[in-house]
Amino acid sequence: MEADCLSLLAAILGLIGSIILAFSLNRVLGEVRFCIEALSTSIESVVSTGDVYVFRGLDQRLKNADKTSGSWVRAGIYCVVASAALAALSIYG
């Protein structure tokens, strides 16, 4: 393959990998933000009124988000690594 074709393929794989990583990690970070907000609400309610609000299922939400995004994160990382390898091959090959 020519260097131009390899560098174009590396750019495409890098873009696809970055998009996959962004969307899959956004799901996990959204769940983490939700859990932090729930815990913050619980702490504020104890301090202000003395009432205790217990939010159940936060650990399960995090496990589900981690499970569904785990394979997508690996796929995104593989695309980015393959992109870097193809870019190096196009430069040095």
Side-chain angles (χ1 to χ4, degrees), residues 39-59:
L39 292 174
S40 173
T41 302
S42 180
I43 291 169
E44 287 176 7
S45 69
V46 169
V47 171
S48 66
T49 63
D51 296 331
V52 177
Y53 294 114
V54 178
F55 295 94
R56 296 184 182 184
L58 296 178
D59 57 340

Side-chain angles (χ1 to χ4, degrees), residues 3-87:
D4 292 337
C5 183
L6 285 177
S7 59
L8 180 64
L9 188 59
I12 291 171
L13 274 176
L15 180 66
I16 290 171
S18 298
I19 290 171
I20 290 172
L21 282 172
F23 281 115
S24 60
L25 291 177
N26 185 39
R27 161 117 185 191
V28 174
L29 290 176
E31 291 295 330
V32 169
R33 277 188 300 251
F34 175 75
C35 291
I36 290 172
E37 189 67 33
L39 292 174
S40 173
T41 302
S42 180
I43 291 169
E44 287 176 7
S45 69
V46 169
V47 171
S48 66
T49 63
D51 296 331
V52 177
Y53 294 114
V54 178
F55 295 94
R56 296 184 182 184
L58 296 178
D59 57 340
Q60 189 61 38
R61 287 179 65 118
L62 286 174
K63 283 180 189 176
N64 288 341
D66 184 43
K67 186 173 31 170
T68 56
S69 70
S71 59
W72 286 106
V73 169
R74 280 191 294 279
I77 289 173
Y78 292 150
C79 285
V80 170
V81 169
S83 168
L86 287 175

